[in-house]
Amino acid sequence: MTNSNKPNILFWIIGIIALLWNAMGVNAYIQQAYKTDAFKAMYEEEHLEMILNTPSWVMAAFALAVFGGLLGCILLLLRKKLALIVFLISLIAIIIQMTYNVFLSKALEVYGPGVVIMPIMVIVVAVFLYFYTKKSIDRGWIS
């Protein structure tokens, strides 16, 4: 494996897919924060009541997580080292948000054990993006 300042094609594919993933997260946040009709239509009354009563500190963590992830992807694609710090902040916010969503809210009671699948996926993707960015810096693809 050679160290080159030019990223391979997989770097761009991962970056674009990650950008789309995080853009979907931003959309989910906006839908929930503004309580859109489309958002409300996705849930039964009991589920909606729980979601609409989410504490503001959790919503703040949600915003930091998704907007941080989106900004991190943009910085990754622009090949900026700042992406690593932004992904770390996003990951910390994700852990805070998911801890509330899974353990502190009544989500396990309302949705059942399947509720942990999406939080695990989100955390895995965030951890991957953090370490992939770190590896990209080590390879000289990001400066």
Side-chain angles (χ1 to χ4, degrees):
M1 192 176 311
T2 62
N3 277 349
S4 167
N5 287 340
K6 184 178 178 186
N8 61 24
I9 190 72
L10 187 59
F11 173 88
W12 300 107
I13 292 170
I14 289 171
I16 290 168
I17 290 171
L19 181 73
L20 294 172
W21 167 264
N22 281 285
M24 289 188 313
V26 168
N27 180 53
Y29 169 79
I30 290 170
Q31 295 280 335
Q32 184 172 342
Y34 288 98
K35 300 170 180 66
T36 64
D37 291 336
F39 174 78
K40 291 177 184 177
M42 292 189 308
Y43 299 97
E44 296 174 14
E45 190 61 35
E46 181 184 12
H47 299 162
L48 186 59
E49 183 70 27
M50 184 183 71
I51 293 167
L52 294 179
N53 289 319
T54 301
S56 57
W57 63 269
V58 176
M59 289 302 293
F62 187 8
L64 195 55
V66 297
F67 286 104
L70 186 69
L71 178 59
C73 288
I74 292 167
L75 291 168
L76 178 70
L77 290 169
L78 291 173
R79 299 171 57 193
K80 302 293 181 188
K81 279 186 181 180
L82 184 57
L84 187 66
I85 294 167
V86 174
F87 279 135
L88 179 60
I89 292 167
S90 176
L91 176 59
I92 291 167
I94 288 168
I95 292 169
I96 291 168
Q97 177 202 7
M98 295 307 172
T99 299
Y100 172 83
N101 287 350
V102 175
F103 301 111
L104 302 177
S105 73
K106 295 181 180 182
L108 281 171
E109 294 172 26
V110 174
Y111 296 109
V115 75
V116 299
I117 294 170
M118 189 57 144
I120 289 171
M121 270 181 36
V122 170
I123 291 169
V124 166
V125 169
V127 168
F128 169 79
L129 287 173
Y130 175 79
F131 284 106
Y132 185 75
T133 301
K134 190 173 174 109
K135 183 177 175 184
S136 296
I137 290 169
D138 293 344
R139 290 186 173 177
W141 294 346
I142 297 175
S143 55

